[in-house]
Amino acid sequence: MNNALLHFEQFFAETLFGISVMVVVILFTMYTFLEILLAYRRSIEPRVSRGRHYEVLKFIAYVMLLVFAQFLALFIWVLALTGLELVSHWVPALLFTASFFTSVGNFTEVLPEGWGLTPSIIAFSGLFSFAWATAATMSMARALMEQLDRHKED
């Protein structure tokens, strides 16, 4: 009975930790991606075009801001893992987080025993972040195409 209670407490602590960090990551990515998207849309002037190459390079710059925001989201997990001392150094924490944030990773030996749910929660937050970044990129691409169609170069 005592052993079952210990496992439940560990599961509860891990779940609370994972969901808390995931909420922070999702809120961060939703806010920053939306701000980047809105900034890009504000940068498009319907009556003025500075040329196709300028518009494409501006689009690429804003997409790179999305990529940078993804890296910052990874570091939220790194800070949480090292802050709670689940991982001793930020480099293995970053490799571990990046491995699970982008796919089903293979760095499970990094976490202490009993923290097996955390990689799945990291993966879920990564899936959500990449889906949100894809939606923002597609929206910006649509706005770029509309801008280029309005100002076709002859």
Side-chain angles (χ1 to χ4, degrees), residues 45-99:
E45 302 172 34
R47 293 180 185 80
V48 179
S49 176
R50 294 184 176 95
R52 182 173 55 98
H53 298 295
Y54 174 83
E55 296 297 337
V56 169
L57 288 173
K58 181 171 61 173
F59 169 78
I60 291 169
Y62 278 90
V63 170
M64 293 312 296
L65 286 174
L66 291 172
V67 170
F68 182 69
Q70 285 283 38
F71 279 118
L72 290 178
L74 286 174
F75 277 100
I76 293 171
W77 276 108
V78 170
L79 288 172
L81 291 171
T82 55
L84 205 59
E85 296 180 357
L86 294 174
V87 181
S88 60
H89 193 264
W90 72 271
V91 174
L94 178 61
L95 293 172
F96 175 79
T97 300
S99 175

Short mmCIF file of all heavy atoms in Angstrom, two decimals, residues 45-99:
data_model
loop_
_atom_site.label_atom_id
_atom_site.label_comp_id
_atom_site.label_asym_id
_atom_site.label_seq_id
_atom_site.Cartn_x
_atom_site.Cartn_y
_atom_site.Cartn_z
N GLU A 45 2.14 46.99 -46.72
CA GLU A 45 1.41 48.20 -47.12
C GLU A 45 0.66 47.90 -48.41
O GLU A 45 1.28 47.70 -49.45
CB GLU A 45 2.38 49.36 -47.30
CG GLU A 45 3.19 49.66 -46.04
CD GLU A 45 4.28 50.68 -46.29
OE1 GLU A 45 4.08 51.58 -47.11
OE2 GLU A 45 5.33 50.53 -45.66
N PRO A 46 -0.68 47.88 -48.36
CA PRO A 46 -1.45 47.48 -49.54
C PRO A 46 -1.22 48.35 -50.77
O PRO A 46 -1.27 47.87 -51.88
CB PRO A 46 -2.91 47.58 -49.09
CG PRO A 46 -2.89 47.79 -47.63
CD PRO A 46 -1.52 48.18 -47.23
N ARG A 47 -0.95 49.62 -50.58
CA ARG A 47 -0.80 50.52 -51.72
C ARG A 47 0.64 50.63 -52.21
O ARG A 47 0.89 51.19 -53.26
CB ARG A 47 -1.31 51.92 -51.35
CG ARG A 47 -2.80 51.95 -51.12
CD ARG A 47 -3.22 53.37 -50.75
NE ARG A 47 -4.62 53.47 -50.41
CZ ARG A 47 -5.14 53.13 -49.24
NH1 ARG A 47 -4.38 52.66 -48.30
NH2 ARG A 47 -6.42 53.27 -49.02
N VAL A 48 1.57 50.14 -51.43
CA VAL A 48 2.99 50.30 -51.76
C VAL A 48 3.68 48.94 -51.76
O VAL A 48 3.47 48.13 -50.87
CB VAL A 48 3.68 51.22 -50.71
CG1 VAL A 48 5.15 51.38 -51.05
CG2 VAL A 48 2.99 52.56 -50.61
N SER A 49 4.50 48.74 -52.76
CA SER A 49 5.35 47.55 -52.79
C SER A 49 6.76 47.99 -53.09
O SER A 49 6.98 48.81 -53.97
CB SER A 49 4.86 46.56 -53.85
OG SER A 49 5.74 45.46 -53.91
N ARG A 50 7.70 47.45 -52.38
CA ARG A 50 9.11 47.80 -52.60
C ARG A 50 9.78 46.78 -53.51
O ARG A 50 10.99 46.72 -53.58
CB ARG A 50 9.82 47.89 -51.26
CG ARG A 50 9.31 49.04 -50.43
CD ARG A 50 10.09 49.17 -49.14
NE ARG A 50 9.66 50.32 -48.40
CZ ARG A 50 8.74 50.29 -47.43
NH1 ARG A 50 8.14 49.16 -47.12
NH2 ARG A 50 8.40 51.39 -46.80
N GLY A 51 8.99 45.97 -54.16
CA GLY A 51 9.52 44.96 -55.07
C GLY A 51 9.39 43.56 -54.51
O GLY A 51 9.31 43.35 -53.30
N ARG A 52 9.36 42.62 -55.41
CA ARG A 52 9.17 41.22 -55.05
C ARG A 52 10.27 40.70 -54.13
O ARG A 52 10.00 40.04 -53.13
CB ARG A 52 9.09 40.38 -56.32
CG ARG A 52 8.84 38.91 -56.08
CD ARG A 52 8.62 38.16 -57.38
NE ARG A 52 9.70 38.33 -58.32
CZ ARG A 52 10.70 37.47 -58.50
NH1 ARG A 52 10.74 36.38 -57.78
NH2 ARG A 52 11.64 37.70 -59.38
N HIS A 53 11.52 41.03 -54.45
CA HIS A 53 12.63 40.50 -53.64
C HIS A 53 12.59 41.05 -52.21
O HIS A 53 12.84 40.31 -51.25
CB HIS A 53 13.97 40.82 -54.31
CG HIS A 53 14.12 40.19 -55.65
ND1 HIS A 53 14.16 38.82 -55.82
CD2 HIS A 53 14.19 40.73 -56.89
CE1 HIS A 53 14.28 38.54 -57.11
NE2 HIS A 53 14.30 39.69 -57.78
N TYR A 54 12.28 42.32 -52.08
CA TYR A 54 12.17 42.91 -50.74
C TYR A 54 11.07 42.23 -49.95
O TYR A 54 11.26 41.89 -48.77
CB TYR A 54 11.89 44.42 -50.86
CG TYR A 54 11.62 45.07 -49.52
CD1 TYR A 54 12.67 45.48 -48.71
CD2 TYR A 54 10.32 45.25 -49.05
CE1 TYR A 54 12.44 46.06 -47.48
CE2 TYR A 54 10.08 45.83 -47.81
CZ TYR A 54 11.14 46.23 -47.04
OH TYR A 54 10.91 46.80 -45.82
N GLU A 55 9.91 42.02 -50.57
CA GLU A 55 8.77 41.39 -49.88
C GLU A 55 9.10 39.96 -49.46
O GLU A 55 8.75 39.53 -48.36
CB GLU A 55 7.52 41.44 -50.75
CG GLU A 55 7.00 42.83 -51.07
CD GLU A 55 6.55 43.62 -49.85
OE1 GLU A 55 6.22 43.01 -48.82
OE2 GLU A 55 6.55 44.86 -49.93
N VAL A 56 9.78 39.23 -50.33
CA VAL A 56 10.15 37.84 -50.01
C VAL A 56 11.18 37.81 -48.88
O VAL A 56 11.07 37.00 -47.95
CB VAL A 56 10.67 37.11 -51.27
CG1 VAL A 56 11.31 35.78 -50.90
CG2 VAL A 56 9.55 36.90 -52.27
N LEU A 57 12.17 38.70 -48.93
CA LEU A 57 13.17 38.74 -47.86
C LEU A 57 12.55 39.15 -46.53
O LEU A 57 12.93 38.62 -45.47
CB LEU A 57 14.31 39.69 -48.24
CG LEU A 57 15.24 39.17 -49.34
CD1 LEU A 57 16.23 40.26 -49.75
CD2 LEU A 57 15.97 37.91 -48.90
N LYS A 58 11.59 40.05 -46.57
CA LYS A 58 10.89 40.44 -45.34
C LYS A 58 10.12 39.25 -44.78
O LYS A 58 10.15 38.99 -43.57
CB LYS A 58 9.94 41.61 -45.63
CG LYS A 58 9.19 42.10 -44.41
CD LYS A 58 8.43 43.39 -44.67
CE LYS A 58 7.39 43.21 -45.74
NZ LYS A 58 6.52 44.38 -45.91
N PHE A 59 9.46 38.49 -45.65
CA PHE A 59 8.75 37.28 -45.23
C PHE A 59 9.71 36.30 -44.56
O PHE A 59 9.43 35.77 -43.48
CB PHE A 59 8.07 36.63 -46.44
CG PHE A 59 7.53 35.27 -46.17
CD1 PHE A 59 6.34 35.10 -45.48
CD2 PHE A 59 8.21 34.14 -46.60
CE1 PHE A 59 5.83 33.84 -45.22
CE2 PHE A 59 7.71 32.87 -46.35
CZ PHE A 59 6.52 32.72 -45.66
N ILE A 60 10.87 36.09 -45.17
CA ILE A 60 11.86 35.17 -44.61
C ILE A 60 12.33 35.65 -43.24
O ILE A 60 12.47 34.86 -42.30
CB ILE A 60 13.06 35.01 -45.58
CG1 ILE A 60 12.61 34.25 -46.83
CG2 ILE A 60 14.24 34.31 -44.91
CD1 ILE A 60 13.62 34.25 -47.96
N ALA A 61 12.52 36.95 -43.08
CA ALA A 61 12.95 37.50 -41.78
C ALA A 61 11.91 37.22 -40.70
O ALA A 61 12.26 36.84 -39.57
CB ALA A 61 13.20 38.99 -41.91
N TYR A 62 10.64 37.37 -41.04
CA TYR A 62 9.60 37.11 -40.05
C TYR A 62 9.48 35.62 -39.74
O TYR A 62 9.21 35.25 -38.59
CB TYR A 62 8.25 37.69 -40.51
CG TYR A 62 8.13 39.17 -40.20
CD1 TYR A 62 8.55 40.12 -41.11
CD2 TYR A 62 7.61 39.61 -38.99
CE1 TYR A 62 8.45 41.47 -40.83
CE2 TYR A 62 7.51 40.95 -38.70
CZ TYR A 62 7.93 41.88 -39.63
OH TYR A 62 7.83 43.22 -39.33
N VAL A 63 9.69 34.78 -40.72
CA VAL A 63 9.70 33.33 -40.46
C VAL A 63 10.87 32.98 -39.53
O VAL A 63 10.72 32.15 -38.62
CB VAL A 63 9.75 32.53 -41.77
CG1 VAL A 63 10.01 31.04 -41.50
CG2 VAL A 63 8.45 32.70 -42.55
N MET A 64 12.00 33.63 -39.73
CA MET A 64 13.15 33.38 -38.85
C MET A 64 12.85 33.82 -37.41
O MET A 64 13.34 33.22 -36.46
CB MET A 64 14.41 34.07 -39.38
CG MET A 64 14.91 33.48 -40.70
SD MET A 64 15.03 31.68 -40.73
CE MET A 64 16.26 31.39 -39.50
N LEU A 65 12.02 34.85 -37.25
CA LEU A 65 11.57 35.23 -35.91
C LEU A 65 10.76 34.10 -35.27
O LEU A 65 10.87 33.85 -34.07
CB LEU A 65 10.76 36.52 -35.96
CG LEU A 65 11.54 37.81 -36.20
CD1 LEU A 65 10.58 38.98 -36.35
CD2 LEU A 65 12.53 38.06 -35.07
N LEU A 66 9.94 33.44 -36.07
CA LEU A 66 9.20 32.28 -35.56
C LEU A 66 10.15 31.17 -35.11
O LEU A 66 9.94 30.54 -34.08
CB LEU A 66 8.23 31.75 -36.62
CG LEU A 66 7.04 32.61 -36.99
CD1 LEU A 66 6.30 32.03 -38.18
CD2 LEU A 66 6.10 32.78 -35.81
N VAL A 67 11.19 30.95 -35.91
CA VAL A 67 12.19 29.92 -35.56
C VAL A 67 12.88 30.29 -34.25
O VAL A 67 13.04 29.44 -33.36
CB VAL A 67 13.22 29.76 -36.70
CG1 VAL A 67 14.39 28.89 -36.27
CG2 VAL A 67 12.55 29.21 -37.95
N PHE A 68 13.25 31.55 -34.10
CA PHE A 68 13.89 32.01 -32.87
C PHE A 68 12.95 31.81 -31.67
O PHE A 68 13.39 31.38 -30.60
CB PHE A 68 14.30 33.48 -33.02
CG PHE A 68 15.00 34.02 -31.82
CD1 PHE A 68 16.28 33.59 -31.49
CD2 PHE A 68 14.38 34.95 -31.00
CE1 PHE A 68 16.94 34.09 -30.37
CE2 PHE A 68 15.03 35.46 -29.88
CZ PHE A 68 16.30 35.02 -29.57
N ALA A 69 11.67 32.10 -31.87
CA ALA A 69 10.69 31.90 -30.78
C ALA A 69 10.59 30.42 -30.42
O ALA A 69 10.42 30.08 -29.24
CB ALA A 69 9.33 32.47 -31.20
N GLN A 70 10.71 29.52 -31.41
CA GLN A 70 10.71 28.09 -31.11
C GLN A 70 11.90 27.72 -30.22
O GLN A 70 11.77 26.94 -29.28
CB GLN A 70 10.78 27.26 -32.39
CG GLN A 70 9.49 27.21 -33.17
CD GLN A 70 8.47 26.26 -32.56
OE1 GLN A 70 8.33 26.14 -31.36
NE2 GLN A 70 7.73 25.60 -33.41
N PHE A 71 13.07 28.29 -30.52
CA PHE A 71 14.24 28.03 -29.68
C PHE A 71 14.03 28.54 -28.26
O PHE A 71 14.42 27.89 -27.29
CB PHE A 71 15.51 28.65 -30.29
CG PHE A 71 16.11 27.82 -31.37
CD1 PHE A 71 16.22 28.31 -32.66
CD2 PHE A 71 16.59 26.54 -31.12
CE1 PHE A 71 16.78 27.55 -33.66
CE2 PHE A 71 17.15 25.77 -32.11
CZ PHE A 71 17.24 26.27 -33.39
N LEU A 72 13.40 29.69 -28.13
CA LEU A 72 13.12 30.21 -26.80
C LEU A 72 12.17 29.28 -26.04
O LEU A 72 12.32 29.09 -24.83
CB LEU A 72 12.55 31.62 -26.88
CG LEU A 72 13.53 32.71 -27.33
CD1 LEU A 72 12.82 34.05 -27.41
CD2 LEU A 72 14.73 32.78 -26.41
N ALA A 73 11.21 28.70 -26.75
CA ALA A 73 10.29 27.75 -26.11
C ALA A 73 11.05 26.53 -25.60
O ALA A 73 10.75 26.01 -24.52
CB ALA A 73 9.19 27.35 -27.09
N LEU A 74 12.05 26.09 -26.35
CA LEU A 74 12.89 24.98 -25.88
C LEU A 74 13.57 25.35 -24.57
O LEU A 74 13.66 24.54 -23.65
CB LEU A 74 13.97 24.64 -26.92
CG LEU A 74 13.55 23.90 -28.17
CD1 LEU A 74 14.73 23.79 -29.12
CD2 LEU A 74 13.00 22.54 -27.85
N PHE A 75 14.03 26.58 -24.48
CA PHE A 75 14.76 26.99 -23.28
C PHE A 75 13.85 27.13 -22.06
O PHE A 75 14.33 27.07 -20.93
CB PHE A 75 15.55 28.27 -23.54
CG PHE A 75 16.87 27.98 -24.18
CD1 PHE A 75 17.05 28.15 -25.54
CD2 PHE A 75 17.95 27.51 -23.43
CE1 PHE A 75 18.27 27.86 -26.14
CE2 PHE A 75 19.16 27.22 -24.01
CZ PHE A 75 19.32 27.39 -25.37
N ILE A 76 12.56 27.30 -22.26
CA ILE A 76 11.65 27.26 -21.12
C ILE A 76 11.70 25.88 -20.48
O ILE A 76 11.79 25.75 -19.25
CB ILE A 76 10.21 27.63 -21.55
CG1 ILE A 76 10.15 29.10 -21.98
CG2 ILE A 76 9.22 27.36 -20.42
CD1 ILE A 76 8.84 29.50 -22.62
N TRP A 77 11.67 24.85 -21.31
CA TRP A 77 11.79 23.47 -20.79
C TRP A 77 13.16 23.26 -20.14
O TRP A 77 13.27 22.63 -19.09
CB TRP A 77 11.55 22.46 -21.90
CG TRP A 77 10.12 22.15 -22.12
CD1 TRP A 77 9.35 22.53 -23.18
CD2 TRP A 77 9.26 21.41 -21.25
NE1 TRP A 77 8.08 22.08 -23.02
CE2 TRP A 77 7.99 21.38 -21.84
CE3 TRP A 77 9.43 20.77 -20.03
CZ2 TRP A 77 6.90 20.73 -21.27
CZ3 TRP A 77 8.35 20.12 -19.44
CH2 TRP A 77 7.11 20.11 -20.07
N VAL A 78 14.22 23.77 -20.79
CA VAL A 78 15.57 23.61 -20.23
C VAL A 78 15.66 24.25 -18.86
O VAL A 78 16.18 23.64 -17.91
CB VAL A 78 16.62 24.20 -21.20
CG1 VAL A 78 17.99 24.27 -20.54
CG2 VAL A 78 16.69 23.39 -22.48
N LEU A 79 15.13 25.45 -18.73
CA LEU A 79 15.14 26.12 -17.42
C LEU A 79 14.35 25.34 -16.38
O LEU A 79 14.78 25.23 -15.23
CB LEU A 79 14.59 27.54 -17.55
CG LEU A 79 15.48 28.55 -18.26
CD1 LEU A 79 14.73 29.86 -18.49
CD2 LEU A 79 16.75 28.79 -17.46
N ALA A 80 13.23 24.80 -16.78
CA ALA A 80 12.41 24.03 -15.83
C ALA A 80 13.13 22.75 -15.41
O ALA A 80 13.15 22.41 -14.22
CB ALA A 80 11.06 23.70 -16.46
N LEU A 81 13.72 22.05 -16.35
CA LEU A 81 14.41 20.79 -16.03
C LEU A 81 15.65 21.02 -15.17
O LEU A 81 15.90 20.26 -14.23
CB LEU A 81 14.80 20.06 -17.32
CG LEU A 81 13.65 19.49 -18.15
CD1 LEU A 81 14.15 19.00 -19.49
CD2 LEU A 81 12.93 18.38 -17.39
N THR A 82 16.42 22.06 -15.47
CA THR A 82 17.61 22.33 -14.68
C THR A 82 17.25 23.02 -13.36
O THR A 82 17.90 22.79 -12.34
CB THR A 82 18.64 23.18 -15.45
OG1 THR A 82 18.01 24.38 -15.91
CG2 THR A 82 19.20 22.40 -16.63
N GLY A 83 16.22 23.85 -13.38
CA GLY A 83 15.80 24.54 -12.16
C GLY A 83 15.28 23.58 -11.10
O GLY A 83 15.49 23.78 -9.91
N LEU A 84 14.60 22.53 -11.53
CA LEU A 84 14.10 21.53 -10.59
C LEU A 84 15.15 20.45 -10.34
O LEU A 84 14.90 19.49 -9.62
CB LEU A 84 12.82 20.90 -11.16
CG LEU A 84 11.85 20.30 -10.17
CD1 LEU A 84 11.37 21.34 -9.18
CD2 LEU A 84 10.67 19.70 -10.90
N GLU A 85 16.32 20.61 -10.95
CA GLU A 85 17.46 19.70 -10.83
C GLU A 85 17.13 18.29 -11.29
O GLU A 85 17.65 17.31 -10.75
CB GLU A 85 18.02 19.73 -9.41
CG GLU A 85 18.58 21.08 -9.02
CD GLU A 85 19.15 21.12 -7.61
OE1 GLU A 85 19.08 20.11 -6.89
OE2 GLU A 85 19.67 22.19 -7.25
N LEU A 86 16.26 18.19 -12.29
CA LEU A 86 16.01 16.89 -12.92
C LEU A 86 17.14 16.54 -13.87
O LEU A 86 17.40 15.37 -14.13
CB LEU A 86 14.68 16.92 -13.66
CG LEU A 86 13.44 17.08 -12.79
CD1 LEU A 86 12.20 17.25 -13.64
CD2 LEU A 86 13.30 15.90 -11.86
N VAL A 87 17.78 17.58 -14.42
CA VAL A 87 18.95 17.41 -15.28
C VAL A 87 20.01 18.36 -14.72
O VAL A 87 19.70 19.52 -14.41
CB VAL A 87 18.63 17.74 -16.75
CG1 VAL A 87 19.85 17.55 -17.64
CG2 VAL A 87 17.48 16.88 -17.26
N SER A 88 21.24 17.89 -14.60
CA SER A 88 22.27 18.66 -13.89
C SER A 88 22.85 19.82 -14.69
O SER A 88 23.30 20.79 -14.12
CB SER A 88 23.40 17.73 -13.46
OG SER A 88 23.99 17.13 -14.60
N HIS A 89 22.85 19.73 -16.02
CA HIS A 89 23.50 20.75 -16.85
C HIS A 89 22.57 21.13 -17.99
O HIS A 89 21.79 20.29 -18.47
CB HIS A 89 24.84 20.21 -17.37
CG HIS A 89 25.72 21.25 -17.96
ND1 HIS A 89 25.77 21.50 -19.29
CD2 HIS A 89 26.59 22.12 -17.39
CE1 HIS A 89 26.63 22.47 -19.54
NE2 HIS A 89 27.14 22.85 -18.39
N TRP A 90 22.70 22.36 -18.47
CA TRP A 90 21.77 22.84 -19.49
C TRP A 90 21.98 22.18 -20.86
O TRP A 90 21.03 22.06 -21.63
CB TRP A 90 21.82 24.37 -19.60
CG TRP A 90 23.06 24.92 -20.24
CD1 TRP A 90 24.21 25.27 -19.61
CD2 TRP A 90 23.25 25.18 -21.62
NE1 TRP A 90 25.12 25.72 -20.53
CE2 TRP A 90 24.55 25.69 -21.78
CE3 TRP A 90 22.46 25.04 -22.76
CZ2 TRP A 90 25.08 26.06 -23.00
CZ3 TRP A 90 22.98 25.40 -23.99
CH2 TRP A 90 24.28 25.90 -24.11
N VAL A 91 23.19 21.73 -21.17
CA VAL A 91 23.42 21.12 -22.49
C VAL A 91 22.67 19.81 -22.65
O VAL A 91 21.93 19.64 -23.63
CB VAL A 91 24.94 20.96 -22.77
CG1 VAL A 91 25.16 20.19 -24.07
CG2 VAL A 91 25.62 22.32 -22.84
N PRO A 92 22.79 18.83 -21.72
CA PRO A 92 21.98 17.63 -21.88
C PRO A 92 20.48 17.93 -21.79
O PRO A 92 19.68 17.28 -22.45
CB PRO A 92 22.42 16.70 -20.76
CG PRO A 92 23.43 17.40 -19.97
CD PRO A 92 23.72 18.72 -20.60
N ALA A 93 20.12 18.93 -21.00
CA ALA A 93 18.70 19.31 -20.91
C ALA A 93 18.21 19.84 -22.26
O ALA A 93 17.09 19.53 -22.69
CB ALA A 93 18.49 20.35 -19.82
N LEU A 94 19.05 20.62 -22.94
CA LEU A 94 18.67 21.14 -24.26
C LEU A 94 18.57 20.01 -25.29
O LEU A 94 17.61 19.95 -26.06
CB LEU A 94 19.67 22.20 -24.72
CG LEU A 94 19.42 22.78 -26.11
CD1 LEU A 94 18.06 23.48 -26.18
CD2 LEU A 94 20.54 23.75 -26.48
N LEU A 95 19.55 19.11 -25.29
CA LEU A 95 19.50 17.98 -26.23
C LEU A 95 18.28 17.10 -25.97
O LEU A 95 17.59 16.68 -26.91
CB LEU A 95 20.79 17.15 -26.12
CG LEU A 95 22.06 17.83 -26.57
CD1 LEU A 95 23.28 16.97 -26.23
CD2 LEU A 95 22.01 18.15 -28.05
N PHE A 96 18.01 16.86 -24.72
CA PHE A 96 16.86 16.05 -24.34
C PHE A 96 15.56 16.73 -24.79
O PHE A 96 14.70 16.13 -25.42
CB PHE A 96 16.87 15.86 -22.81
CG PHE A 96 15.67 15.15 -22.28
CD1 PHE A 96 15.56 13.78 -22.38
CD2 PHE A 96 14.65 15.87 -21.66
CE1 PHE A 96 14.44 13.12 -21.87
CE2 PHE A 96 13.55 15.22 -21.15
CZ PHE A 96 13.44 13.84 -21.25
N THR A 97 15.43 18.01 -24.46
CA THR A 97 14.22 18.76 -24.81
C THR A 97 14.04 18.84 -26.31
O THR A 97 12.95 18.61 -26.83
CB THR A 97 14.27 20.17 -24.19
OG1 THR A 97 14.37 20.04 -22.77
CG2 THR A 97 13.05 20.97 -24.52
N ALA A 98 15.10 19.18 -27.03
CA ALA A 98 15.00 19.29 -28.49
C ALA A 98 14.65 17.95 -29.11
O ALA A 98 13.88 17.89 -30.09
CB ALA A 98 16.32 19.81 -29.07
N SER A 99 15.16 16.88 -28.56
CA SER A 99 14.87 15.55 -29.08
C SER A 99 13.38 15.22 -28.98
O SER A 99 12.79 14.68 -29.91
CB SER A 99 15.69 14.52 -28.32
OG SER A 99 15.35 13.22 -28.71
#
